[in-house]
Amino acid sequence: MKIEKFVFAALIDIAIAVEHLCLAATKQGLATCWVCNFDANLCKELFSLPENDYINE
């Protein structure tokens, strides 16, 4: 198997694990959402979030 296939399989496994974490968080009453890339400062501005609110990038 080429190294690219191993890397691709690893990325899929990571995605599956993250989705399981999202499902577990939802079961605990937490909201989750997959996001690939975003600008935290722009989100704060667009949604009028308080400056002390933390957005995990």
Side-chain angles (χ1 to χ4, degrees):
M1 208 182 261
K2 291 184 177 181
I3 191 72
E4 292 87 9
K5 288 185 180 179
F6 285 115
V7 171
F8 183 70
L11 292 174
I12 291 173
D13 288 343
I14 291 168
I16 292 168
V18 169
E19 183 59 25
H20 283 278
L21 289 171
C22 289
L23 291 171
T26 300
K27 187 174 181 181
Q28 296 296 317
L30 301 171
T32 62
C33 180
W34 281 68
V35 177
C36 181
N37 188 10
F38 68 98
D39 182 328
N41 290 326
L42 181 59
C43 287
K44 283 184 177 185
E45 180 183 330
L46 291 174
F47 296 109
S48 302
L49 299 176
E51 192 61 38
N52 61 343
D53 275 9
Y54 176 73
I55 297 177
N56 188 3
E57 293 184 71

